[in-house]
Amino acid sequence: MTEHRPLDPPASTTIATIANDVGVSVATVSKVLNGRGDVAPDTRARVEASLDRHRYQRRTRRPSAGGGRIDLVFHEFDTGWAMEILRGVEAVTTAAGVGLSVAQLDGAHRPPARWLDAILADRPLGVVFVLSNLAEAQRQHLRRQGIPFVVVDTDSATSASVPTVGSNNWNGGLLAARHLLDLGHQRIAIISGPPDVLCSRARAAGFQSAHEEAGIEVDRELIRYGSFSAGAGHAHGLELLRRPSRPTAIFAGSDIQAMGVLRAARQCGLRVPEDLSVIGYDNLPVSAWTDPALTTINQPLRDMAAIATQMLLDLTRGNEPATSRIDLVTELVVRESTAPPPSRTDPARTCAELPPLS
């Protein structure tokens, strides 16, 4: 039995090397590399195993100062959050004279196989993924094609082998809770994002740490997880505010979610911030125009997107990044939606005492 050992260095491996190793034609190896469907499954598997063993990778194309196109792939494209990312990417591609194509995955965090086939057929310079990532086999396939990729990801859990730009979510949750605790709030609710997204859990962990720091126990009944949408903020907000002992402050997982909380408060006849303090996350431009203007955590989305795009363009020119992970700082932005809780002489009103607005 022949022992297969990886060749060193990987650059010495050619398509002919792979074909000789597997015992197939150069044309067959080329078909596998290009994602063609007219290769028998067992042959494809043996070719791909050999490509992995030999660490085969196409040479990265080195574009001139301009030209070519990159693909920007969102997990979902339906909020001002996505627009901030798009603006950051577009600023860099426009300056570089590079085209931009935008796609979205209907809320999925991993592209389907048919998407990969389309990418291989179109041959972009590279791909920026937003809140989405690839399975390891998909990563290897793009690498073999010499198509670099970078992830803009707020969850800080991407593989070390994938260049990623994110932000410090734990610190964001800490800052939000500290602000409310410093104002004197003790019954603080949190509505975070989906529980299977690490950024949601990281913000909740920072929120918990701020309470531990202050020596105040978090009421587990005041913790909610859901989508980052206004609808989720509204539904969870109503549920929290209709509790017999409602929170005096709510930390929402996004500015859009916080807008749903503001609506829930209005429907309950509660004043913000006199009866209820609300803080959001992201610092979208619209957060300064809500009524009242929203206190929030600034997540530098445009900068995250711009840095990721520049990192990708560097990769297309064969320049490896100095680090595979960049996390930008999150900061508190205080506006009008947070204030001290009602005093003992002016007790907080509950939602149940007032009829909802029609």
Side-chain angles (χ1 to χ4, degrees):
M1 180 175 181
T2 303
E3 179 184 359
H4 296 287
R5 293 175 298 175
L7 298 181
D8 240 340
S12 64
T13 302
T14 66
I15 292 179
T17 304
I18 303 300
N20 183 63
D21 180 51
V22 180
V24 297
S25 68
V26 169
T28 298
V29 176
S30 180
K31 287 179 180 180
V32 172
L33 284 170
N34 288 301
R36 293 269 297 275
D38 53 342
V39 179
D42 61 330
T43 301
R44 179 184 300 279
R46 288 190 294 119
V47 170
E48 289 181 342
S50 180
L51 289 166
D52 287 340
R53 248 189 342 265
H54 291 79
R55 293 174 289 165
Y56 177 84
Q57 183 174 345
R58 284 188 176 179
R59 291 184 179 275
T60 302
R61 289 161 292 161
R62 298 174 182 261
S64 58
R69 184 196 87 244
I70 69 169
D71 282 6
L72 174 61
V73 180
F74 287 92
H75 83 295
E76 194 169 30
F77 189 84
D78 65 350
T79 68
W81 191 96
M83 287 302 299
E84 289 299 290
I85 295 290
L86 178 57
R87 290 186 179 106
V89 172
E90 191 174 37
V92 175
T93 56
T94 299
V98 172
L100 177 63
S101 176
V102 181
Q104 61 97 24
L105 303 175
D106 294 321
H109 292 279
R110 180 167 292 170
R114 65 180 181 279
W115 172 88
L116 189 60
D117 293 340
I119 284 290
L120 296 175
D122 290 345
R123 301 290 302 171
L125 294 174
V127 186
V128 175
F129 292 99
V130 182
L131 273 182
S132 55
N133 208 340
L134 299 167
E136 182 57 33
Q138 293 175 317
R139 294 176 196 164
Q140 292 296 339
H141 211 152
L142 284 185
R143 286 174 179 141
R144 289 185 199 122
Q145 300 300 314
I147 301 176
F149 52 92
V150 174
V151 174
V152 177
D153 199 343
T154 60
D155 74 4
S156 306
T158 313
S159 167
S161 67
V162 179
T164 306
V165 180
S167 65
N168 192 328
N169 292 283
W170 182 88
N171 186 63
L174 181 81
L175 292 175
R178 270 184 183 170
H179 172 63
L180 296 170
L181 290 165
D182 288 346
L183 287 171
H185 293 275
Q186 295 194 9
R187 285 189 57 75
I188 306 172
I190 176 173
I191 307 172
S192 197
D196 61 338
V197 176
L198 190 60
C199 70
S200 304
R201 303 198 300 276
R203 293 171 194 175
F207 175 86
Q208 173 74 45
S209 294
H211 281 75
E212 292 171 356
E213 181 181 78
I216 296 174
E217 187 174 352
V218 175
D219 185 343
R220 311 308 295 180
E221 296 296 318
L222 300 183
I223 299 175
R224 299 288 187 277
Y225 288 93
S227 75
F228 288 117
S229 67
H234 179 255
H236 284 304
L238 283 177
E239 181 186 345
L240 288 164
L241 296 176
R242 284 173 173 160
R243 292 177 59 84
S245 181
R246 70 164 178 84
T248 61
I250 296 178
F251 168 36
S254 73
D255 291 341
I256 301 300
Q257 202 181 64
M259 291 174 195
V261 174
L262 291 176
R263 181 176 181 184
R266 285 195 299 272
Q267 287 182 299
C268 285
L270 298 174
R271 301 163 298 171
V272 176
E274 293 86 354
D275 301 313
L276 175 73
S277 285
V278 178
I279 181 168
Y281 204 103
D282 290 330
N283 194 26
L284 299 180
V286 70
S287 65
W289 293 95
T290 59
D291 186 18
L294 189 64
T295 295
T296 187
I297 298 298
N298 181 57
Q299 181 174 212
L301 297 172
R302 290 196 197 187
D303 290 342
M304 289 161 57
I307 290 170
T309 306
Q310 188 57 60
M311 187 184 292
L312 180 68
L313 292 180
D314 289 342
L315 284 168
T316 68
R317 297 179 176 93
N319 302 319
E320 291 295 323
T323 179
S324 65
R325 176 81 205 189
I326 298 175
D327 274 324
L328 302 188
V329 174
T330 48
E331 299 175 303
L332 175 69
V333 179
V334 179
R335 295 196 180 103
E336 301 167 359
S337 66
T338 50
S343 65
R344 292 183 181 273
T345 58
D346 180 23
R349 296 178 293 175
T350 66
C351 184
E353 293 171 358
L354 297 163
L357 299 176
S358 57

